Amino acid sequence: MLPESGLETVQAELKRLQDENRRLRESASFRLGHLLVSAAQSPRRMLSLPVDLVRLGAELRRGKTFSDWVPRQCAMVREQWHSLACDLRLRNDGAFVFLFSGTTFIQGTRGNRPIRQAQALLGRKVPVLFSYHRSRPLDDLPVSANPSLIQSPVDVTMQLMEEFATEDLGELRKLFIVSYPYPGIERYIALFRSNGWKIIYDCRDDWEEFAKVGMARWFDAEVESRLVAQVDRTYCVSTPLVAKMQRLAPGSQVALMPNAVETDFLPPDY
């Protein structure tokens, strides 16, 4: 065991290294280099490189940094969440859905399954917390005109998971839909269940194949296996995915739920 003076020295050195790491990550040279390396590894990022370079320039001119921007966004989402939760506690019945989507935020006529699910729920007056994936933490939060919808980027969502899981929502039935096996999400399944949530894994893609071509570099097969084993039920968009999920977690509840098309998918003025 280190003496107290030695422990203080180690803690001081750790803080110095953390501060140095933060300064490095927020420097213009690191951010530019990270952008170029990401573009070289992903065809999609290569296509968006010109736009990303323009955005980076604007962020540097505005002085946007990870150390203050993401905490600010956490505070904004937390405020929206507590306000909605207060309203939900006043309801005597109904449901609430937390959709951990893995898509972009809800916009336009996007046909992604989680986005369409969220829009269908909102159309039926079911409030939704919609977590979306983003690769740029310095992007602004989307604005929604619907007071029953909260949209939170995944990097913010992961910092607020315990608050989402344990919030008192009165008598509402609570459904947690995990729509992609993002690393870390599996650690919260037990917490949500212990707080009365029903949990579904909506398996809409073979993420392992995406990872092989550099499009889902976050993918971890062990995370998906643990997720399927823990949730109440897994729904898959195709029979090959049903078979794969059953192999990952034998004995788990896995069922087929194919994709579909809504008759009103395109608005009249589209």
Side-chain angles (χ1 to χ4, degrees):
M1 184 174 179
L2 285 173
E4 186 173 344
S5 58
L7 180 60
E8 290 176 353
T9 300
V10 171
Q11 290 175 334
E13 178 64 12
L14 177 60
K15 185 178 185 308
R16 186 191 69 78
L17 291 173
Q18 289 173 334
D19 291 342
E20 181 63 26
N21 179 63
R22 186 181 68 252
R23 284 193 293 270
L24 174 63
R25 288 178 58 83
E26 293 180 351
S27 67
S29 57
F30 176 88
R31 290 163 68 179
L32 176 59
H34 179 70
L35 193 61
L36 295 175
V37 170
S38 297
Q41 294 175 339
S42 167
R44 178 180 294 181
R45 295 302 298 272
M46 179 62 74
L47 289 174
S48 66
L49 182 59
V51 175
D52 289 338
L53 289 171
V54 172
R55 285 180 176 174
L56 176 59
E59 289 166 2
L60 292 172
R61 288 193 296 273
R62 291 168 59 189
K64 267 191 179 181
T65 61
F66 300 106
S67 58
D68 62 357
W69 191 248
V70 175
R72 191 185 311 171
Q73 291 190 331
C74 279
M76 294 168 65
V77 172
R78 180 182 287 113
E79 182 179 357
Q80 294 176 50
W81 169 243
H82 289 314
S83 176
L84 179 59
C86 287
D87 292 339
L88 295 177
R89 283 193 290 271
L90 299 177
R91 304 188 183 191
N92 294 322
D93 57 13
F96 177 79
V97 176
F98 176 12
L99 215 165
F100 191 76
S101 77
T103 65
T104 65
F105 58 89
I106 297 175
Q107 51 184 298
T109 55
R110 290 270 182 167
N112 308 77
R113 177 160 159 144
I115 291 178
R116 303 308 301 174
Q117 288 172 336
Q119 291 173 326
L121 288 164
L122 291 167
R124 290 162 175 77
K125 309 301 182 185
V126 177
V128 175
L129 169 59
F130 190 85
S131 176
Y132 63 93
H133 189 85
R134 69 175 179 182
S135 55
R136 295 179 53 81
L138 293 178
D139 284 348
D140 293 324
L141 295 177
V143 177
S144 173
N146 191 330
S148 294
L149 171 66
I150 296 176
Q151 298 199 73
S152 173
V154 65
D155 47 300
V156 170
T157 301
M158 295 303 288
Q159 296 187 52
L160 301 176
M161 288 297 286
E162 291 189 13
E163 296 181 41
F164 296 151
T166 58
E167 184 72 46
D168 178 14
L169 299 181
E171 300 300 316
L172 267 68
R173 290 167 290 148
K174 299 178 290 187
L175 177 62
F176 181 21
I177 303 176
V178 180
S179 196
Y180 77 139
Y182 190 75
I185 192 65
E186 77 284 0
R187 297 197 302 267
Y188 294 99
I189 301 302
L191 179 62
F192 274 86
R193 178 172 287 109
S194 67
N195 282 276
W197 293 76
K198 295 295 184 182
I199 309 161
I200 290 171
Y201 174 36
D202 189 22
C203 183
R204 57 191 176 86
D205 281 304
D206 192 334
W207 296 106
E208 186 174 10
E209 297 303 314
F210 276 75
K212 288 177 182 178
V213 295
M215 292 184 65
R217 294 193 296 273
W218 46 264
F219 177 77
D220 183 332
E222 180 62 26
V223 170
E224 187 167 46
S225 296
R226 292 176 61 187
L227 187 61
V228 177
Q230 292 184 79
V231 299
D232 296 307
R233 179 164 294 193
T234 295
Y235 289 107
C236 302
V237 301
S238 67
T239 50
L241 279 176
V242 169
K244 181 174 183 177
M245 294 305 109
Q246 289 174 332
R247 289 195 303 271
L248 288 181
S252 298
Q253 295 291 317
V254 181
L256 177 65
M257 185 186 289
N259 281 324
V261 176
E262 298 162 293
T263 56
D264 61 346
F265 171 60
L266 292 177
D269 58 348
Y270 182 72

